C-alpha cells in the first residue's frame, strides 16, 4: 500500500533541491526509521528573518559518534538513497560527536506524519511506530537493526574458567512504552528476553534519570539475531566476528 503523502508539504526550497519522499515502506526506510528513533531528533522552530517576518525552520538531526566514520558514511548514503539530498556533517567541538543534519519541511513532516516519529523531545514518549508493528518480518528486522545500531550495546560476560564468552544484547530507553513494544516484537519473532523497568541511572547532564532496559542474553539469541537481523554498524560486526572466530570477546574490543 502506498503512503498518503497528501498531508506532507514540500517547501519551495525542498522542490528546488529535488527532494523526493518514499511512497512505500521498504527495508531501507524501516532501518532509517530505527536510526531516527534511536539517535535522531525532529524539530520545528519559529524565529525571525532580518525583515522581521517569521521564519519557520524544520530540522532532522542525527547524533553520531565521531569515531564511527564507517557507520556515519552508511547513514548518509542511506539517507541520500531515500530522499535524494545529502545530510550535512557537523563535528561538535565540545564532544566526540558528529551531527548529521537536514533542513527540510517535507522530510520532517514525512518522518513525523507518515513514519510516526515524534517532534522535539521524544525520549520519554517514543514507541515503535504502528507502520512497523503492523509490517512483515523483514520490515521489523530492518527497523530493529537501525535501532540497535544506534542505541543498543553488546557485551560478552565473564564466565569462570572460560573468559568473556556469554553474549548479552541490551537496549536502554527512557520511554517505557518503547520497551513494551520491543517486548511484543521480540516475542512475536521468537526471541527470549528479559526486562528491567524504572532503574535510576546517573546522567552527567541531567542528574538521576529513569531508564528501562531490555536484554537478549545467550548464544542462541545472538546467533538468531545475526541470522535474521544483523548489524550495519561495524563496531558490532567486529565484536561478533571476534566471538565467532575465537568463542570469546574481551571488554574494549
Amino acid at each position: 500500500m502506498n503512503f498518503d503523502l497528501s498531508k506532507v508539504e514540500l517547501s519551495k526550497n525542498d522542490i528546488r533541491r529535488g527532494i523526493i519522499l518514499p511512497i512505500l515502506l521498504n527495508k531501507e526506510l524501516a532501518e532509517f526509521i530505527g536510526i531516527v528513533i534511536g539517535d535522531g531528533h525532529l524539530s520545528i522552530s519559529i524565529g525571525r528573518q532580518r525583515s522581521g517576518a517569521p521564519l519557520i525552520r524544520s530540522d532532522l538531526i542525527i547524533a553520531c559518534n565521531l569515531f564511527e566514520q564507517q557507520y556515519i558514511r552508511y547513514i548518509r548514503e542511506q539517507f541520500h538513497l531515500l530522499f535524494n539530498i545529502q545530510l550535512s556533517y557537523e563535528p561538535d567541538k565540545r564532544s566526540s560527536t558528529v551531527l548529521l543534519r537536514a533542513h527540510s519541511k517535507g522530510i520532517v513532516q514525512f518522518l513525523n506524519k507518515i513514519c510516526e516519529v515524534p517532534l522535539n523531545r521524544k525520549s520519554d514518549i517514543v514507541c515503535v511506530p504502528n507502520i512497523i508493528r503492523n509490517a512483515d518480518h523483514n520490515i521489523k528486522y530492518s527497523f530493529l537493526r537501525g535501532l540497535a545500531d544506534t542505541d543498543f550495546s553488546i557485551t560478552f560476560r565473564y564466565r569462570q574458567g572460560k573468559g568473556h564468552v556469554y553474549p548479552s544484547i541490551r537496549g536502554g530507553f527512557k520511554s517505557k512504552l518503547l520497551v513494551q513494544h520491543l517486548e511484543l516484537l521480540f516475542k512475536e519473532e521468537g526471541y527470549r528476553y528479559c526486562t528491567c523497568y524504572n532503574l535510576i541511572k546517573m546522567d552527567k547532564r541531567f542528574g538521576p534519570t529513569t531508564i528501562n532496559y531490555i536484554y537478549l542474553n545467550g548464544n542462541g539469541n545472538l546467533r538468531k539475531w545475526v541470522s535474521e537481523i544483523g548489524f550495519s554498524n561495524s563496531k558490532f560486526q567486529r565484536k561478533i566476528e571476534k566471538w565467532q572466530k575465537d568463542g570469546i570477546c574481551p571488554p574494549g574490543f
Side-chain angles (χ1 to χ4, degrees):
M1 182 181 296
N2 290 5
F3 291 137
D4 177 11
L5 297 180
S6 63
K7 50 188 174 182
V8 177
E9 181 182 357
L10 293 172
S11 68
K12 293 180 180 179
N13 196 37
D14 288 341
I15 296 171
R16 179 184 61 79
R17 291 187 292 165
I19 287 176
I20 60 174
L21 300 176
I23 61 172
L24 291 170
L25 178 61
N26 57 22
K27 292 187 289 186
E28 291 75 21
L29 177 59
E31 183 172 354
F32 187 74
I33 294 171
I35 291 170
V36 176
I37 293 288
D39 273 347
H41 176 77
L42 302 180
S43 68
I44 298 177
S45 56
I46 300 177
R48 291 286 176 183
Q49 302 181 37
R50 291 183 179 179
S51 64
L55 174 65
I56 301 176
R57 183 184 180 99
S58 301
D59 286 303
L60 161 66
I61 302 172
I62 302 172
C64 301
N65 189 320
L66 176 64
F67 303 106
E68 295 175 8
Q69 288 295 317
Q70 182 176 338
Y71 188 56
I72 290 173
R73 288 194 296 272
Y74 176 79
I75 293 175
R76 298 182 81 196
E77 289 168 0
Q78 293 301 104
F79 182 83
H80 184 263
L81 288 173
L82 288 169
F83 299 106
N84 198 42
I85 64 166
Q86 295 285 354
L87 285 164
S88 66
Y89 180 96
E90 304 172 14
D92 186 343
K93 297 178 181 179
R94 300 168 297 177
S95 64
S96 57
T97 301
V98 170
L99 301 180
L100 306 181
R101 187 189 304 265
H103 305 301
S104 168
K105 180 179 183 179
I107 292 175
V108 169
Q109 286 193 7
F110 174 80
L111 291 171
N112 175 238
K113 295 181 178 181
I114 304 298
C115 301
E116 305 167 44
V117 180
L119 290 169
N120 301 317
R121 293 195 63 175
K122 66 175 175 47
S123 58
D124 293 318
I125 62 171
V126 71
C127 63
V128 177
N130 287 319
I131 61 170
I132 300 296
R133 295 170 63 196
N134 297 325
D136 64 27
H137 298 289
N138 290 325
I139 294 296
K140 292 174 182 175
Y141 293 157
S142 296
F143 170 82
L144 289 169
R145 182 168 56 252
L147 181 64
D149 277 330
T150 51
D151 235 3
F152 275 50
S153 65
I154 301 179
T155 57
F156 292 83
R157 299 178 185 173
Y158 183 81
R159 290 292 183 264
Q160 188 68 35
K162 297 181 179 180
H164 294 273
V165 298
Y166 187 75
S168 178
I169 304 171
R170 184 186 76 171
F173 306 93
K174 292 182 68 176
S175 171
K176 182 179 291 187
L177 184 58
L178 177 56
V179 175
Q180 291 171 337
H181 283 176
L182 291 175
E183 283 194 73
L184 294 174
L185 285 187
F186 287 132
K187 184 177 181 179
E188 290 170 0
E189 301 305 326
Y191 287 85
R192 300 180 66 182
Y193 61 86
C194 61
T195 54
C196 293
Y197 286 98
N198 301 319
L199 295 181
I200 305 300
K201 178 181 177 182
M202 289 302 300
D203 188 292
K204 293 180 180 179
R205 297 171 298 172
F206 307 114
T209 303
T210 302
I211 303 293
N212 308 285
Y213 290 99
I214 187 162
Y215 299 84
L216 284 76
N217 298 323
N219 296 349
N221 270 332
L222 182 54
R223 291 194 181 101
K224 182 175 172 64
W225 184 290
V226 171
S227 173
E228 296 177 344
I229 300 173
F231 292 97
S232 298
N233 193 327
S234 60
K235 73 175 182 181
F236 295 130
Q237 294 170 350
R238 288 193 301 270
K239 289 185 175 185
I240 291 170
E241 289 170 2
K242 172 68 173 175
W243 177 74
Q244 290 174 327
K245 178 182 177 182
D246 300 330
I248 188 171
C249 185
F253 183 85

